[in-house]
């Protein structure tokens, strides 16, 4: 299967086939595939389809190394759709990992509102109570109604679907 997927990543007649092949390599959860996914992320394609698929493959790795790479893909030097793919995958890999939560909280202040939205959704998916103060700040002070609404939804998700009193450090 690996040889087939590697061969398909080299196709030039389609963007979708190499993209899915890279995702397939990520599903294997073999640490040796991380470097192949990183190389694939440099390939040029329409709407950075292949790079985003490589980021998805990294997320499927579920490793500390993959989390480090995913966090690096959130930097402003990458195209916004690749950055958003990284945020989605940080939510998958980052459960129980504090640095994932801190990276996502930092991204709630990103210049690109869709990154802020993606980070807010990802914080809800992480389910870490320590993200609630940052989400409450977004809910009460952000200018964009979509962010406010998603912050509320993420707080509810973290709280198990109910509205609870405001979180405080004293209650820990």
């Amino acid at each position: 299967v690996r040889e087939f997927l590697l061969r398909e990543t080299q196709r030039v007649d389609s963007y979708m086939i190499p993209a899915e092949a890279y995702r397939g390599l990520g599903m294997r959860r073999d640490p040796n595939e991380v470097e192949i996914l990183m190389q694939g992320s440099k390939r040029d394609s329409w709407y950075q389809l292949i790079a985003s698929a490589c980021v998805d493959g990294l997320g499927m790795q579920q490793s500390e190394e993959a989390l480090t790479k995913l966090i690096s893909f959130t930097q402003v030097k990458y195209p916004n759709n690749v950055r958003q793919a990284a945020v989605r995958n940080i939510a998958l890999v980052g459960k129980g990992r504090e640095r994932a939560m801190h990276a996502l909280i930092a991204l709630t202040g990103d210049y690109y509102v869709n990154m802020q939205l993606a980070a807010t959704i990802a914080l809800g998916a992480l389910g870490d109570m320590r993200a609630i103060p940052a989400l409450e700040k977004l809910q009460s002070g952000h200018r964009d109604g979509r962010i406010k609404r998603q912050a509320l939804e993420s707080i509810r998700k973290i709280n198990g679907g109910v509205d609870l009193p405001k979180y405080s450090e004293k209650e820990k």
Side-chain angles (χ1 to χ4, degrees), residues 90-92 94-97 100-101 104 121-128 158:
I90 289 170
L92 299 174
K95 285 192 189 274
R97 295 178 171 147
M101 181 189 61
L104 292 172
I121 292 167
L123 284 168
L126 282 184
D128 193 319
I158 292 169

Side-chain angles (χ1 to χ4, degrees), residues 1-9 15-34 36-37 40 49-62 89:
V1 171
R2 182 178 192 271
E3 294 306 316
F4 171 77
L5 290 172
L6 286 172
R7 195 170 46 251
E8 294 302 304
T9 63
Y15 294 135
M16 294 298 291
I17 294 170
E20 292 307 317
Y22 282 116
R23 280 191 186 95
L25 287 169
M27 284 182 204
R28 297 184 70 245
R29 291 192 180 174
D30 181 345
N32 298 321
E33 309 298 8
V34 171
I36 293 169
L37 293 167
L49 188 68
I50 293 174
S52 295
C54 290
V55 168
D56 289 344
L58 285 170
M60 292 174 200
Q61 291 285 310
Q62 296 288 313
N89 284 285

